[in-house]
Amino acid sequence: MSAPIPLRQDFDVLQLRSLARRTKDGPQARRLLALAAIYDGATRTEAAKIGGVGLQIIRDWVLRFNARGPDALLNGKSPGKPSKLNDRQRQAIAGMIESGPIPAVHGVVRWRLIDLAQWIFEEFRQADAQPGAARHGLPQTLGPTAPPCASAGRDRGF
């Protein structure tokens, strides 16, 4: 078995426990406390029990902590799939949605995702423009909206 990877020398037990106490992120606090146990002389197996993980995860935490410090122990957001549309194209879609369709030109009175997908294909020649592609191009404030319910404004009195 190989020797464990040593922790950085610019932190100690008290600093990590203090950081764990101050953080608002529970998983980061758990990771900091597990690494503090290692600084305190605990084995990696004991640190894994404290952190509720396996030895490989402890090793990953040590590598991340050594490279970037305590902030590396925060949960990062997954980058996800890259957008098929660039910023200019997304702005054009937002403008089309805000201005609404022109019935004589577009042949519809209200945008549906399939209509937007067709417009994206015609405008940008995006061959993979499917209804989902239109949804991904929408700004968060311009999500698809449902027409109001017909009974929403009716008087409920008898």
Side-chain angles (χ1 to χ4, degrees):
M1 192 161 125
S2 64
I5 299 169
L7 288 166
R8 308 168 54 139
Q9 296 301 314
D10 55 339
F11 284 93
D12 63 4
V13 163
L14 297 176
Q15 286 176 313
L16 287 188
R17 287 189 178 146
S18 173
L19 287 170
R21 200 172 19 255
R22 286 184 300 190
T23 185
K24 303 280 187 217
D25 187 50
Q28 183 191 28
R30 180 173 47 93
R31 293 172 188 136
L32 288 168
L33 290 173
L35 294 183
I38 294 172
Y39 273 117
D40 206 21
T43 66
R44 305 291 164 119
T45 304
E46 292 167 341
K49 287 180 184 175
I50 291 169
V53 295
L55 288 173
Q56 182 64 44
I57 301 296
I58 292 291
R59 180 184 176 278
D60 294 342
W61 291 352
V62 168
L63 290 174
R64 285 167 44 190
F65 178 74
N66 285 345
R68 298 189 319 261
D71 289 339
L73 300 177
L74 285 167
N75 284 340
K77 185 173 188 236
S78 176
K81 233 174 146 178
S83 178
K84 294 179 182 179
L85 302 173
N86 61 33
D87 288 336
R88 184 184 62 79
Q89 292 168 330
R90 282 194 295 277
Q91 288 173 353
I93 293 170
M96 278 303 271
I97 293 170
E98 286 177 4
S99 65
I102 301 168
V105 175
H106 301 111
V108 295
V109 294
R110 176 178 47 230
W111 287 124
R112 299 173 302 169
L113 287 177
I114 194 76
D115 300 324
L116 287 172
Q118 181 65 33
W119 182 82
I120 290 169
F121 176 75
E122 291 170 358
E123 188 73 19
F124 306 117
R125 291 295 176 209
Q126 286 275 355
D128 55 352
Q130 300 167 355
R135 184 180 301 120
H136 296 298
L138 297 177
Q140 293 298 322
T141 58
L142 297 174
T145 58
C149 180
S151 64
R154 289 190 193 153
D155 184 34
R156 298 272 181 197
F158 294 102

